[in-house]
Amino acid sequence: MNDIIKAINNRVSLRKYQEKEISKEHLDIILESAIKAPTAGNMMMYSIIKISDEKTKEKLSITCDNQPFIKKASVILIFLADMQKWCDYFKVCNIENIKPLGMNDFMLSINDSLIACQNAVLAAESLDIGSCYIGDIMENYEEHKTLLNLPDYTFPAAMITLGYYPENMKRVYRDRFDKEHVVFDEKYKKLDEDELKEMFKNKEENMPKTNPFNVNSFGELIYNRKTSADFSIEMDRSIKEGIKFFTKK
Amino acid sequence: MNDIIKAINNRVSLRKYQEKEISKEHLDIILESAIKAPTAGNMMMYSIIKISDEKTKEKLSITCDNQPFIKKASVILIFLADMQKWCDYFKVCNIENIKPLGMNDFMLSINDSLIACQNAVLAAESLDIGSCYIGDIMENYEEHKTLLNLPDYTFPAAMITLGYYPENMKRVYRDRFDKEHVVFDEKYKKLDEDELKEMFKNKEENMPKTNPFNVNSFGELIYNRKTSADFSIEMDRSIKEGIKFFTKK
C-alpha cells in the first residue's frame, strides 16, 4: 500500500483538534494542492475563503446546524462555486448586455469546487491535519451571503474544518456499504428487495435505539431526517434560492 | 514534499494511454479508495458505473462532445449522484406515500460523487494510472439515461477516463491562476479591473490566434463558448431536465 492509498484509508472525519494553529507553511501547501486540482476547461471556477477569525468561526458554528466543534478548528476553508470573477472579467473585456449564466456554469463550478476541496483534504491528511466536511454550509444562503460578502454568481459548495490530529488519538472508522452495492458493471443495476436488505443490514443492526422520530427501522429514521428535519428543509430552500441566479437563462 | 503532495502536483489530465488494460488489482484499489471517501452523514449517496465495454465507450466518446480519446481509455468510471437506492429502501421499510426528494439530496449526492471521484483520481495517479474528467457527461441526459439504464433519482455527476501513462511521457502542465486571485482572507473579495487584468494576463497573452468566434480577447472567447457553443447550451438544458425530479418538493 503506497502512501496515497494509506492516507485515503487512514483519514477520518475529525471533529476534535489539537489546540495548535496550523502553520503558514502547512496551510500554503494545502491551498496550493487545492489549486493544482483538475478543473473544467482549466477555468478554475471557484474561490477559496480562508477563515481564522474567531467571530466568523463562532457564527458558522451556529449557522451550520449548531455544531460547536466548528469554532474549535484552527482554520475553516469554504470552497465557493464562483462565476462572478468571470462575469466581471467579461465586462472588463467590454462585452455588453452579458447574458445570464446557466446551470452548466453552476454545476461545473460546483464540481471544480469539490474536486479542489478533496485535494485540500488529502494534502492536509498527509501533514497530520484532520478535516471535516460541513454540508450545512449550503443552508442559510442569505445569512452566509451577508457574512462572507458573497456576490450573486457564487455559491458555497463545500466547507471543511481543519486542525492537527490530537496526539495518540485512536481513529474510529465508520463502515461503508459493500462494493457490490455501490459499483455496477457497464450499466446501472436496480437493487431488488433482498439486495437492499443485505445492503442495509449493518445499518439496521447498529441503529440507535432512541431517535427523535420514534421509528423502528433505519430506513424510517433516514426518511424522516431527509423529509422532516429542519436542516434538510432549510437546505432545500437555501439551495433553491442560491441557484436562482443560474436558472434565468 | 511527501508522496501525496507529489502526486497532486505531478498529475496531468491524461488523454493518451498505454494500450494495456488496467489490472484487476489496480482497479480494485481505485474503487475501494473511492468508497473510502468522506460522505455526508455516511450515506454514500452515489453509485459508480465501471465501463469497459467497447460499444459503450465508443458511444460515450460521441455523446460527450465528440472526444475520440474517450474510447481509447482502458476503463471509464461514471460517478452517479444516486438517491434511487435510498428511495427503494424506504419502500422496503414499508414507508407509504414517499414524499419527493429535494435539492438538498441532489446537491449532497453530487458532492459525495465528486469527493469519491477525486479519491479515485489520486489513487489512480499513485499507481501510474492517468485520468481525465469529462464534464460533458452532464450533457444528453436522456440519451445517457437510456444507455446506462439510469433511474429517475440519479444524475451523472462526474465521469473519468482511466489508463496507464505512456512510458517516458513528458508531462505538460497548464498554468493556474495565482493564489492571490483564488484564495481570499475571511471574506470574499471582489476583484477590481486592474486585479482582473492581472489575473487574466497570461491567458490573454497565450490565447489562440484563430478561434471559431473570431474574437480578439480571451474574455470574449470564453464568453462566447459559455453562452453560444452547442455543448454549453446542451449542458444547461440537460442538467435542468435531470434535476426535475429533485425540484418537485
Side-chain angles (χ1 to χ4, degrees):
Chain A
M1 205 188 270
N2 66 48
D3 285 351
I4 293 154
I5 313 296
K6 253 185 234 165
I8 285 172
N9 278 279
N10 286 347
R11 183 190 174 277
V12 292
S13 291
L14 193 70
R15 294 181 176 81
K16 201 177 174 202
Y17 313 99
Q18 264 189 58
E19 282 192 27
K20 178 177 141 185
E21 269 185 43
I22 294 177
S23 71
K24 190 185 172 311
E25 188 202 341
H26 281 173
L27 196 53
D28 281 346
I29 293 173
I30 293 168
L31 292 167
E32 280 151 22
S33 296
I35 287 177
K36 284 284 158 58
T39 153
N42 201 24
M43 282 180 65
M44 299 179 73
M45 292 169 266
Y46 62 91
S47 294
I48 307 171
I49 306 184
K50 175 165 69 79
I51 295 162
S52 38
D53 178 73
E54 295 302 325
K55 276 188 192 156
T56 310
K57 285 197 265 184
E58 168 105 41
K59 183 88 197 215
L60 288 168
S61 77
I62 298 163
T63 58
C64 293
D65 199 34
N66 297 302
Q67 302 185 75
F69 84 89
I70 291 174
K71 65 174 176 245
K72 301 274 190 178
S74 169
V75 172
I76 290 170
L77 296 182
I78 295 179
F79 287 73
L80 274 187
D82 185 3
M83 290 304 296
Q84 188 67 48
K85 279 186 284 198
W86 285 92
C87 278
D88 292 343
Y89 186 61
F90 295 155
K91 282 178 205 150
V92 170
C93 294
N94 298 316
I95 301 168
E96 283 170 17
N97 302 320
I98 292 174
K99 292 179 205 166
L101 296 176
M103 282 302 285
N104 51 327
D105 298 304
F106 180 74
M107 287 297 288
L108 288 171
S109 59
I110 291 285
N111 288 11
D112 270 14
S113 304
L114 267 301
I115 294 168
C117 190
Q118 184 59 7
N119 258 22
V121 161
L122 289 178
E125 187 68 22
S126 79
L127 302 166
D128 199 37
I129 295 169
S131 57
C132 187
Y133 274 91
I134 311 290
D136 304 282
I137 190 63
M138 293 192 289
E139 295 157 30
N140 297 310
Y141 172 73
E142 299 83 346
E143 218 170 332
H144 291 144
K145 201 173 177 186
T146 306
L147 178 70
L148 304 167
N149 205 19
L150 306 184
D152 289 348
Y153 272 136
T154 63
F155 186 81
M159 170 167 138
I160 49 171
T161 52
L162 292 172
Y164 290 99
Y165 275 93
E167 284 174 47
N168 306 317
M169 192 190 85
K170 199 180 168 305
R171 301 191 184 193
V172 180
Y173 295 97
R174 300 183 73 183
D175 61 320
R176 295 285 191 257
F177 292 126
D178 282 348
K179 203 161 73 172
E180 65 184 310
H181 300 124
V182 179
V183 182
F184 304 132
D185 280 339
E186 307 299 343
K187 280 177 194 282
Y188 189 86
K189 184 188 158 199
K190 216 157 173 334
L191 302 175
D192 66 24
E193 186 167 337
D194 287 344
E195 287 165 325
L196 286 163
K197 280 184 177 164
E198 181 60 31
M199 176 178 173
F200 286 91
K201 203 172 155 222
N202 284 338
K203 301 275 189 193
E204 290 295 350
E205 286 172 6
N206 299 311
M207 89 169 254
K209 290 215 173 70
T210 59
N211 60 69
F213 308 104
N214 286 318
V215 291
N216 299 318
S217 72
F218 181 75
E220 287 170 292
L221 176 62
I222 298 296
Y223 177 75
N224 276 282
R225 203 181 278 163
K226 283 280 158 201
T227 55
S228 314
D230 289 344
F231 69 87
S232 290
I233 294 168
E234 166 52 22
M235 194 186 288
D236 180 55
R237 186 206 64 79
S238 171
I239 293 169
K240 280 180 185 149
E241 190 63 32
I243 64 170
K244 269 191 185 162
F245 299 102
F246 293 90
T247 50
K248 290 181 180 165
K249 201 166 168 172
Chain B
M1 205 188 269
N2 66 47
D3 285 351
I4 294 155
I5 312 296
K6 253 186 235 166
I8 286 172
N9 278 278
N10 286 348
R11 182 191 175 277
V12 292
S13 291
L14 193 70
R15 294 181 178 82
K16 200 176 176 204
Y17 313 98
Q18 265 189 58
E19 281 192 29
K20 180 177 141 186
E21 269 186 42
I22 294 177
S23 70
K24 190 184 171 312
E25 187 203 340
H26 281 174
L27 197 53
D28 281 346
I29 294 173
I30 292 168
L31 292 167
E32 280 151 21
S33 296
I35 288 177
K36 285 282 158 60
T39 153
N42 201 25
M43 283 180 65
M44 300 179 73
M45 291 169 267
Y46 62 91
S47 293
I48 307 170
I49 306 184
K50 174 165 70 81
I51 295 162
S52 39
D53 178 73
E54 295 302 326
K55 277 188 193 157
T56 311
K57 285 197 264 182
E58 168 105 41
K59 184 87 197 217
L60 288 168
S61 76
I62 296 164
T63 57
C64 294
D65 199 32
N66 296 301
Q67 301 184 75
F69 84 88
I70 291 174
K71 65 174 174 245
K72 302 274 191 177
S74 169
V75 172
I76 291 171
L77 296 181
I78 295 179
F79 286 73
L80 274 187
D82 185 2
M83 290 304 296
Q84 188 66 47
K85 280 185 284 199
W86 285 92
C87 278
D88 292 344
Y89 187 61
F90 296 155
K91 282 175 207 152
V92 170
C93 293
N94 298 316
I95 300 168
E96 283 170 17
N97 301 319
I98 292 174
K99 292 180 205 165
L101 296 177
M103 281 302 285
N104 51 327
D105 298 304
F106 179 75
M107 286 298 288
L108 287 172
S109 59
I110 291 284
N111 288 11
D112 269 14
S113 304
L114 268 300
I115 294 167
C117 190
Q118 184 59 8
N119 259 21
V121 161
L122 290 178
E125 187 68 24
S126 80
L127 302 166
D128 200 36
I129 294 169
S131 57
C132 186
Y133 274 92
I134 312 289
D136 304 282
I137 190 62
M138 294 192 288
E139 295 157 31
N140 298 310
Y141 172 73
E142 298 84 346
E143 220 171 330
H144 292 143
K145 201 173 177 185
T146 305
L147 179 70
L148 304 167
N149 206 19
L150 306 184
D152 290 348
Y153 273 135
T154 62
F155 186 81
M159 169 168 139
I160 49 171
T161 53
L162 292 172
Y164 290 100
Y165 275 94
E167 284 175 47
N168 305 318
M169 193 191 84
K170 200 181 168 303
R171 302 192 185 194
V172 180
Y173 294 97
R174 300 183 73 184
D175 60 320
R176 293 286 191 258
F177 292 126
D178 282 348
K179 203 160 75 172
E180 65 182 309
H181 300 123
V182 178
V183 182
F184 304 132
D185 279 341
E186 307 300 342
K187 279 175 196 283
Y188 189 86
K189 185 188 158 199
K190 215 158 174 330
L191 301 175
D192 65 25
E193 187 167 338
D194 287 344
E195 287 165 326
L196 285 163
K197 281 184 176 164
E198 182 60 31
M199 177 178 174
F200 286 91
K201 203 172 154 220
N202 284 337
K203 300 274 189 193
E204 291 295 350
E205 285 172 6
N206 298 312
M207 89 169 254
K209 291 216 171 69
T210 59
N211 60 71
F213 307 105
N214 286 318
V215 292
N216 299 316
S217 72
F218 181 76
E220 287 169 292
L221 175 62
I222 296 296
Y223 176 74
N224 275 282
R225 203 181 280 163
K226 283 279 158 201
T227 55
S228 313
D230 288 345
F231 69 88
S232 290
I233 294 168
E234 167 52 24
M235 194 185 289
D236 179 56
R237 185 205 66 79
S238 172
I239 293 169
K240 281 178 185 150
E241 192 60 33
I243 64 171
K244 269 188 185 164
F245 299 101
F246 294 90
T247 50
K248 289 178 181 166
K249 201 164 168 172

